[in-house]
Amino acid sequence: MSAGVRIALLGTGTVGSAVLARLGHLQSHGPHEHASALHLVAVANTRSLRLLPGAHQACMANDGNGHAEAALHALGTRGARIVVDATASDAIAAQHAAWLAAGIHVVTACKLGQGASLSRWHAIRAAATAGGCRYGDSATVGAGLPVLRTIRALQDGGDRIHGVAGVLSGSLAWLLSRYDGSGPFEELVEQARVLGYTEPDPRIDLSGEDVCRKLLILARTAGIALEADAVQVEPLQVDDVQRLHARASAEGRVLRHVARLQRDGDGIHARVGVEALDRDDPLAGAGSDNRIVIRSDRYLEQPLLVQGPGAGAGVTAAALLDDVMEIARMARSYEPAAAIAGLRTSAPRYSSSGRGRSMA
Ligand SMILES: NC(=O)c1ccc[n+]([C@@H]2O[C@H](COP(=O)([O-])OP(=O)(O)OC[C@H]3O[C@@H](n4cnc5c(N)ncnc54)[C@H](OP(=O)(O)O)[C@@H]3O)[C@@H](O)[C@H]2O)c1
């Protein structure tokens, strides 16, 4: 079994393929201090499992959950191990907590871990603590933009998050900023689908459910234990956009798809849907960028704005590998101390306080 950090990749679609390409590039076009310590030992999708040098003997058959369990088995039982989830599978996300509890770090692009039920969120947090493992979630909101890590850093510094608002869907941002009201919105949606800017079935984007999961992750990261049914989600009605656009234009405003979370005296307000914004609103910019406004004790009157490309295989894969590299860095800094202390008999523990600490 090879030393260093062993990795199993689940999913070889748009994001998984980009992870493989970027990892190969990092390792062959180094020098990158930690990339050489990464050993990809298994790659799985629903149809096949590829084992690479360093894989622990994986003899498990496809258990109906793709080849995921066999890929996990290939990680072995000791040392720094990471599973990278580049699937959109609820069955895989349901395993995150168990893998963490078993001492395996999880790095994920899938929002169904932390953005599904509150009980699953709690299970992941508790398991990360129990397993002394990291849960790399940088890719789940803003595809690696410094959003979740900023919210965590503000809270670590004693700040309370008062609200978060964002344009969190690149495809909906593109559609609404591109639409000029001259024809049916439906035609632009079809154009976006053909260009690959939306899901193959655009109704998935228009439903707002994916944005809702991102808002749930933001809320929970901000210390607000929000259940999915507490978010008011208003699907984008294609037939309605031309009328809404005309009304917004007459008022000197623009339409944007916004996720909004507000904590005030009345409680928590969470909503996902189309809004007519003033042109100088920080969320009103054009293009497909993600824009996230954070209000905290220190950024109350003048909020903090994070903006940049928040979707696409390239930035998502980079965010996943940022999290992987962070774990590799921690593993390497741990090793000498552990070796001296003779502690290498079990999975490494990176949390000196005993509190599992999330990445991003
Ligand atoms: N695409 C983006 O720009 C983007 C941005 C941010 C986040 N994300 C998130 O990243 C994840 C992947 O997105 P994608 O666009 O790459 O999806 P995709 O192209 O549909 O690929 C999904 C991959 O997951 C595999 N898979 C599904 N269930 C599995 C299972 N049980 N075990 C092993 N493999 C399984 C599929 O296997 P088969 O090949 O056999 O079907 C496929 O290879 C999603 O959660 C998505 O929300 C995507």
Side-chain angles (χ1 to χ4, degrees):
M1 180 93 35
S2 46
V5 180
R6 290 191 297 285
I7 300 168
L9 172 66
L10 307 182
T12 56
T14 310
V15 172
S17 301
V19 167
L20 288 172
R22 186 173 170 86
L23 182 59
H25 180 82
L26 284 174
Q27 292 186 320
S28 60
H29 292 79
H32 191 296
E33 202 189 332
H34 302 292
S36 59
L38 305 179
H39 302 287
L40 185 66
V41 297
V43 180
N45 55 29
T46 60
R47 295 158 287 121
S48 64
L49 168 70
R50 185 156 61 98
L51 296 178
L52 296 130
H56 188 269
Q57 192 62 40
C59 54
M60 298 165 78
N62 185 339
D63 61 351
N65 197 9
H67 292 271
E69 285 304 325
L72 264 289
H73 193 65
L75 289 172
T77 54
R78 293 193 180 177
R81 295 160 290 155
I82 305 174
V83 58
V84 177
D85 180 359
T87 77
S89 164
D90 187 61
I92 296 293
Q95 294 296 314
H96 286 179
W99 293 334
L100 290 163
I104 299 169
H105 305 280
V106 176
V107 169
T108 183
C110 181
K111 291 166 279 289
L112 294 171
Q114 296 192 121
S117 68
L118 194 55
S119 58
R120 187 177 287 177
W121 158 275
H122 283 308
I124 286 171
R125 296 285 119 198
T129 302
C133 284
R134 294 196 162 221
Y135 191 76
D137 56 8
S138 300
T140 59
V141 181
L145 291 175
V147 180
L148 297 178
R149 78 183 65 181
T150 299
I151 290 174
R152 290 186 176 117
L154 287 171
Q155 294 178 110
D156 284 350
D159 252 26
R160 189 166 190 261
I161 306 297
H162 296 256
V164 180
V167 169
L168 300 176
S169 160
S171 49
L172 294 178
W174 186 89
L175 281 167
L176 288 173
S177 73
R178 187 95 169 185
Y179 186 60
D180 63 5
S182 62
F185 184 64
E186 209 169 352
E187 284 176 10
L188 189 64
V189 174
E190 176 55 13
Q191 195 184 327
R193 187 193 67 77
V194 170
L195 289 168
Y197 293 169
T198 66
E199 296 287 337
D201 180 352
R203 286 175 300 184
I204 294 172
D205 298 277
L206 300 171
S207 74
E209 286 305 324
D210 195 59
V211 172
C212 176
R213 289 192 193 104
K214 293 178 185 175
L215 188 65
L216 286 169
I217 295 171
L218 285 167
R220 293 164 182 176
T221 303
I224 299 168
L226 209 60
E227 272 290 9
D229 60 9
V231 183
Q232 183 192 344
V233 182
E234 291 182 6
L236 184 51
Q237 305 290 349
V238 172
D239 297 344
D240 222 14
V241 174
Q242 197 163 15
R243 180 184 65 79
L244 292 173
H245 182 276
R247 194 167 72 189
S249 296
E251 293 169 351
R253 296 176 169 214
V254 293
L255 290 185
R256 294 292 179 261
H257 190 267
V258 177
R260 206 175 276 283
L261 174 78
Q262 187 65 36
R263 179 177 3 213
D264 59 27
D266 298 339
I268 307 297
H269 306 278
R271 180 185 179 276
V272 170
V274 173
E275 294 185 11
L277 302 176
D278 290 337
R279 289 183 187 280
D280 62 357
D281 190 292
L283 300 181
S288 60
D289 272 2
N290 275 200
R291 294 180 176 75
I292 299 103
V293 162
I294 301 167
R295 286 194 162 76
S296 70
D297 291 337
R298 81 180 78 156
Y299 299 112
L300 200 50
E301 299 308 322
Q302 211 176 338
L304 183 66
L305 173 66
V306 180
Q307 176 183 343
V315 284
T316 305
L320 288 169
L321 287 171
D322 285 353
D323 284 353
V324 165
M325 221 69 91
E326 175 73 14
I327 292 168
R329 237 188 323 274
M330 296 299 290
R332 289 192 85 175
S333 61
Y334 168 85
E335 269 176 13
I340 291 164
L343 294 175
R344 299 200 64 188
T345 50
S346 61
R349 298 283 191 270
Y350 301 125
S351 171
S352 57
S353 65
R355 180 174 67 107
R357 207 183 132 72
S358 181
M359 301 184 53

